[in-house]
């Protein structure tokens, strides 16, 4: 029996636009090209014809041996990359001074510091150090810390909110950065971190939100007037939505060492609570805590209201009151297939 042979369709002819360096005498393909960095020439390895001169040596200009690096000397002359969060070209030369140096070197170091002293850069460095320390203390990811630093630099460059204290502006920047990076934190958590009053954090948040939104609109208008197209990828400042109970359930369940099944169940309940308006008027923290309290018992991983209150930062009485309201409407909050599939057991729910 003859088997059909698949015929590969012939590709249409296309001009090869790649640039190849070939010896004009040998015309070998592939060519045997040798780069002589010592002489700066490009030579054909077959016939010795010089094809080019004055080539740039891209290799490192030093050799490092094990026994030579005793004083931790770095032979690189490149230096660090520019920091976009700081002002200026950052190409200045620093005159080092050690304790064993002479008085002349000390005077030179002081004179250089006075000549290159920039108060705005010093303020930015101090603020960045504080933002980094606060975010590390709260286990906030680095991208949130960098976003908060970028927001603070914009405020510093615009010269806005000079009447507000630096601690208040930093707290507002961290709160906005958390929402921008989808890592929501509550006013209470920011208050516990920065010791800035919750009311002051709320006020600075509203001011900063309006400030960044207005600045974003001005940038878009300037781009349109110049004949460009505004960036719609979301790289700029985006209008933020308030924190929902669903956003808080993951973090609170993780702190309570609950399973993924219980976490997903609490999120589903939180979505239905918001859709039905069962706990309308209550804070997202109280709603999330009550949803976790109910889901933990439904999944057979019951947690006491006191344990949930320590994680969420609300009183256990508030959790029980919200849970009591939820049990009255539990048919609307619990999917029937959850019970039929055996994922949950309604008999495990404690009495309200």
């Amino acid at each position: 029996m003859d088997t059909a042979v698949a015929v590969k369709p012939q590709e249409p002819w296309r001009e090869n636009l790649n640039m190849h360096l070939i010896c004009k005498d040998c015309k070998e393909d592939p060519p045997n090209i040798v780069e002589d960095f010592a002489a700066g020439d490009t030579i054909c390895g077959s016939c010795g014809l010089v094809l080019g001169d004055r080539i740039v040596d891209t290799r490192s200009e030093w050799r490092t041996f094990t026994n030579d690096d005793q004083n931790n000397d770095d032979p690189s002359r490149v230096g660090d990359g520019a920091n976009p969060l700081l002002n200026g070209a950052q190409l200045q030369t620093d005159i080092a001074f050690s304790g064993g140096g002479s008085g002349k070197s000390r005077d030179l170091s002081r004179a250089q510091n006075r000549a290159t002293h920039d108060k705005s850069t010093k303020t930015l460095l101090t603020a960045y150090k504080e933002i980094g320390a606060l975010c590390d203390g709260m286990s906030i990811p680095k991208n949130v810390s960098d976003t908060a630093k970028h927001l603070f630099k914009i405020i510093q460059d615009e010269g806005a909110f000079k009447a507000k204290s630096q601690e208040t502006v930093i707290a507002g920047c961290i709160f906005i950065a958390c929402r921008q990076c989808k890592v929501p934190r509550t006013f209470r958590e920011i208050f516990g971190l920065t010791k800035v009053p919750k009311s002051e954090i709320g006020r600075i948040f509203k001011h900063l939100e309006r400030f960044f939104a207005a600045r974003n609109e001005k940038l878009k208008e300037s781009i349109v007037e110049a004949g460009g197209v505004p960036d719609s990828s979301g790289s700029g400042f985006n209008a933020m939505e308030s924190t929902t109970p669903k956003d808080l359930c993951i973090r609170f369940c993780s702190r309570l060492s609950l399973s993924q099944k219980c976490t997903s169940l609490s999120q589903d309940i939180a979505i239905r609570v918001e859709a039905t308006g069962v706990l309308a008027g209550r804070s997202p923290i109280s709603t999330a805590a009550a949803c976790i309290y109910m889901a933990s018992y439904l999944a057979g991983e019951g947690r006491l209201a006191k344990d949930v209150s320590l994680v969420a930062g609300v009183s256990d009485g508030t959790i029980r009151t919200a849970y009591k309201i939820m049990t009255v409407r539990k048919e609307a909050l619990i999917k029937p297939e959850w019970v039929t599939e055996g994922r949950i057991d309604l008999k495990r729910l404690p009495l309200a």
Side-chain angles (χ1 to χ4, degrees):
M1 183 177 179
D2 296 337
T3 57
V5 179
V7 180
K8 185 177 180 181
Q10 186 177 3
E11 296 182 359
W13 180 86
R14 291 183 301 174
E15 184 182 0
N16 187 1
L17 300 178
N18 295 326
M19 298 180 63
H20 295 280
L21 181 61
I22 300 177
C23 178
K24 61 182 180 180
D25 290 347
C26 301
K27 296 183 180 179
E28 294 180 347
D29 192 16
N32 182 17
I33 304 298
V34 178
E35 292 180 338
D36 186 0
F37 291 108
D41 296 331
T42 304
I43 306 170
C44 176
S46 301
C47 66
L49 180 66
V50 177
L51 304 177
D53 57 356
R54 298 179 182 275
I55 63 173
V56 178
D57 188 357
T58 57
R59 301 173 301 175
S60 61
E61 54 182 324
W62 64 85
R63 291 185 299 168
T64 303
F65 299 96
T66 305
N67 296 330
D68 292 345
D69 194 18
Q70 298 296 329
N71 297 324
N72 296 323
D73 293 333
D74 183 11
S76 175
R77 300 190 183 100
V78 177
D80 296 333
N83 189 349
L85 296 175
L86 297 177
N87 297 320
Q90 305 166 34
L91 298 175
Q92 67 273 10
T93 301
D94 294 330
I95 300 176
F97 170 72
S98 58
S102 62
K104 188 174 291 185
S105 62
R106 182 184 65 247
D107 295 339
L108 284 173
S109 178
R110 288 179 178 177
Q112 191 262 347
N113 288 333
R114 286 195 297 267
T116 60
H117 178 71
D118 188 359
K119 188 176 180 182
S120 62
T121 301
K122 186 178 180 181
T123 304
L124 287 174
L125 289 174
T126 304
Y128 293 163
K129 185 177 180 180
E130 185 173 355
I131 290 173
L134 292 174
C135 291
D136 291 342
M138 208 170 170
S139 299
I140 294 177
K142 187 178 184 300
N143 64 325
V144 179
S145 175
D146 293 341
T147 303
K149 293 175 183 178
H150 176 63
L151 295 176
F152 184 86
K153 185 178 186 301
I154 293 175
I155 296 171
Q156 191 75 9
D157 293 342
E158 296 285 342
F161 304 103
K162 291 185 177 180
K164 298 288 185 180
S165 65
Q166 182 171 299
E167 291 78 10
T168 304
V169 177
I170 287 175
C173 290
I174 293 176
F175 184 82
I176 291 179
C178 288
R179 287 197 174 183
Q180 289 279 295
C181 298
K182 308 298 182 183
V183 188
R185 293 295 187 272
T186 61
F187 287 129
R188 188 171 300 172
E189 290 176 303
I190 301 296
F191 161 70
L193 182 69
T194 61
K195 302 305 179 183
V196 177
K198 290 184 290 184
S199 58
E200 189 65 25
I201 297 175
R203 281 195 292 268
I204 192 64
F205 164 68
K206 293 297 182 184
H207 293 321
L208 289 175
E209 190 176 27
R210 287 194 293 267
F211 167 75
F212 287 120
R215 181 180 178 276
N216 203 31
E217 289 298 325
K218 289 181 180 179
L219 289 176
K220 289 182 179 179
E221 291 176 0
S222 62
I223 293 174
V224 172
E225 290 176 358
V229 179
D231 184 15
S232 59
S233 61
S235 57
F237 180 82
N238 301 321
M240 296 169 296
E241 298 178 356
S242 59
T243 304
T244 61
K246 178 189 172 184
D247 299 330
L248 301 173
C249 285
I250 298 178
R251 188 154 45 88
F252 291 165
C253 288
S254 176
R255 292 183 182 179
L256 289 168
S257 300
L258 294 172
S259 64
Q260 181 62 37
K261 170 188 173 183
C262 185
T263 303
S264 302
L265 186 60
S266 64
Q267 287 184 299
D268 290 338
I269 295 175
I271 293 173
R272 287 178 164 261
V273 166
E274 280 194 301
T276 57
V278 174
L279 297 179
R282 294 186 177 270
S283 67
I285 306 177
S286 303
T287 303
C291 293
I292 293 172
Y293 179 69
M294 173 180 278
S296 65
Y297 281 97
L298 288 173
E301 305 175 25
R303 296 293 189 272
L304 297 176
K306 186 177 180 181
D307 297 334
V308 180
S309 67
L310 293 175
V311 171
V314 295
S315 64
D316 52 347
T318 303
I319 297 175
R320 291 195 187 94
T321 303
Y323 169 73
K324 185 176 181 181
I325 300 173
M326 291 170 61
T327 52
V328 178
R329 299 281 304 277
K330 62 183 178 181
E331 292 79 8
L333 304 179
I334 299 175
K335 294 181 180 179
E337 53 266 27
W338 294 347
V339 181
T340 56
E341 294 174 0
R343 293 177 57 188
I344 60 174
D345 188 0
L346 295 177
K347 296 180 181 179
R348 297 172 182 161
L349 288 176
L351 298 176

